[in-house]
């Protein structure tokens, strides 16, 4: 199934038109024509079956034939991950985490962060592309970048974890994960969290955890954490 995206449709929508860029892709690249079937999601768990009624590369119009709604997860996974020095590595994380099944992402600016500015529009396009490629019906939420100190002081429910590389008393991620639980995990930059940041996390009820016996890159650690949580919650 090839999946398309339109954030403005819902169960009351009868028909709609794609924007010019998507219309051109559908008609010129994919060579779709009148009466062809397209599957569309709004990123909120809905899958719409539609039929092309106007195969225009400027304004491809479809009529909704039917729809179904996927149940939302009974847990929420939020990763707060420091931007990597090389953008392509963070983009790789965004793509893979979306494919695996993340719900929310917040870029956090840390003491050792070498990159302090992100391109949110580009990151959102990568997440959207990964959602469509993997036939996922829920679009992960990407928050604005925020400083680490601001983030750890937010009111966050559920299990709160910080994954760091310091040789201190830590639990394994596997030992603390339980199914059907909201979870937030902090992943630091290439230089890891500072001692002050680790102390601040503990003061704000974050539990320190280890992701394994080897030292992982930021983007690898984030993907490992994401998959571990999703694996625990598989039916």
């Amino acid at each position: 199934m090839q999946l398309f995206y339109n954030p403005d449709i819902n169960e009351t929508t009868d028909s709609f038109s794609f924007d010019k860029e998507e219309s051109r892709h559908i008609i010129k690249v994919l060579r779709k024509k009148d009466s062809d079937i397209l599957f569309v999601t709004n990123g909120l768990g809905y899958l719409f079956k539609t039929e092309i009624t106007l195969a225009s590369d400027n304004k491809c119009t479809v009529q909704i034939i039917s729809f179904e709604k996927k149940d939302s997860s009974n847990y929420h996974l939020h990763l707060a991950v420091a931007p990597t020095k090389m953008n392509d590595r963070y983009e790789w994380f965004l793509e893979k985490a979306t494919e695996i099944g993340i719900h929310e992402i917040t870029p956090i600016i840390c003491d050792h962060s070498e990159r302090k500015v992100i391109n949110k529009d580009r990151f959102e396009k990568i997440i959207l592309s990964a959602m469509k490629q993997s036939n996922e019906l829920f679009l992960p939420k990407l928050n604005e970048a925020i400083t680490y100190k601001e983030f750890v002081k937010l009111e966050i429910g559920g299990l709160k974890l910080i994954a760091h590389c310091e040789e201190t008393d830590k639990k394994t991620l596997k030992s603390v994960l339980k199914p059907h639980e909201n979870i937030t995990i902090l992943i630091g930059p290439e230089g890891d969290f500072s001692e002050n940041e680790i102390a601040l996390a503990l003061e704000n009820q974050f539990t320190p955890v280890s992701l394994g016996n080897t030292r992982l890159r930021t983007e690898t650690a984030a993907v490992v954490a994401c998959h571990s949580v999703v694996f625990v919650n598989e039916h």
Side-chain angles (χ1 to χ4, degrees):
M1 179 182 71
Q2 186 165 24
L3 190 63
F4 298 88
Y5 173 70
N6 188 310
D8 301 320
I9 59 176
N10 55 47
E11 62 269 28
T12 65
T13 305
D14 294 321
S15 64
F16 65 91
S17 299
F18 292 97
D19 62 28
K20 186 174 181 180
E21 181 180 355
E22 190 79 298
S23 295
R24 179 174 175 79
H25 178 71
I26 291 169
I27 305 304
K28 291 294 187 181
V29 179
L30 300 179
R31 299 187 182 281
K32 299 295 184 180
K33 55 187 183 300
D34 285 345
S35 301
D36 280 354
I37 299 298
L38 301 180
F39 290 94
V40 187
T41 184
N42 58 3
L44 301 175
Y46 285 87
L47 179 65
F48 299 89
K49 182 179 181 180
T50 73
E51 179 181 356
I52 297 178
T53 55
L54 178 62
S56 166
D57 60 356
N58 283 317
K59 190 178 181 181
C60 177
T61 302
V62 298
Q63 181 175 0
I64 293 178
I65 300 172
S66 62
F67 69 87
E68 58 186 83
K69 189 176 188 304
K70 178 182 176 182
D71 291 336
S72 58
S73 302
N74 51 16
Y75 69 99
H76 185 86
L77 171 58
H78 184 179
L79 290 186
V81 185
T84 53
K85 181 179 180 181
M86 302 300 292
N87 259 331
D88 60 340
R89 287 165 50 193
Y90 204 85
E91 291 170 3
W92 179 84
F93 146 65
L94 294 173
E95 178 183 78
K96 301 311 172 189
T98 301
E99 292 177 12
I100 293 168
I102 197 169
H103 301 101
E104 187 173 359
I105 302 159
T106 301
I108 50 172
I109 310 304
C110 304
D111 289 343
H112 296 157
S113 290
E114 294 188 66
R115 179 175 294 279
K116 301 182 184 297
V117 178
I118 67 163
N119 187 335
K120 189 168 184 280
D121 288 343
R122 176 170 171 78
F123 284 0
E124 287 179 331
K125 288 179 181 178
I126 289 169
I127 291 172
L128 176 58
S129 178
M131 180 198 74
K132 293 193 293 184
Q133 185 276 328
S134 57
N135 284 336
E136 175 57 64
L137 302 181
F138 288 95
L139 182 66
K141 180 183 180 184
L142 176 66
N143 297 315
E144 297 286 348
I146 186 175
T147 67
Y148 173 88
K149 292 178 181 178
E150 290 175 308
F151 185 85
V152 297
K153 293 179 180 180
L154 295 175
E155 291 292 330
I156 301 172
L159 183 63
K160 303 194 298 183
L161 306 177
I162 177 172
H164 65 78
C165 300
E166 291 296 314
E167 294 298 328
T168 60
D169 184 27
K170 294 182 289 187
K171 299 179 180 180
T172 64
L173 178 61
K174 178 182 177 181
S175 69
V176 301
L177 292 180
K178 298 177 182 178
H180 318 318
E181 186 172 27
N182 294 340
I183 179 170
T184 301
I185 307 177
L186 306 176
I187 305 290
E190 284 92 331
D192 200 10
F193 293 114
S194 67
E195 291 183 4
N196 288 339
E197 287 173 332
I198 294 172
L200 184 61
L202 300 183
E203 290 174 11
N204 286 274
Q205 290 74 54
F206 281 82
T207 299
V209 294
S210 167
L211 300 180
N213 297 323
T214 58
R215 190 179 183 92
L216 304 176
R217 286 181 177 273
T218 295
E219 71 275 16
T220 309
V223 169
V224 167
C226 179
H227 181 264
S228 297
V229 174
V230 172
F231 183 78
V232 166
N233 282 277
E234 284 185 342
H235 297 300

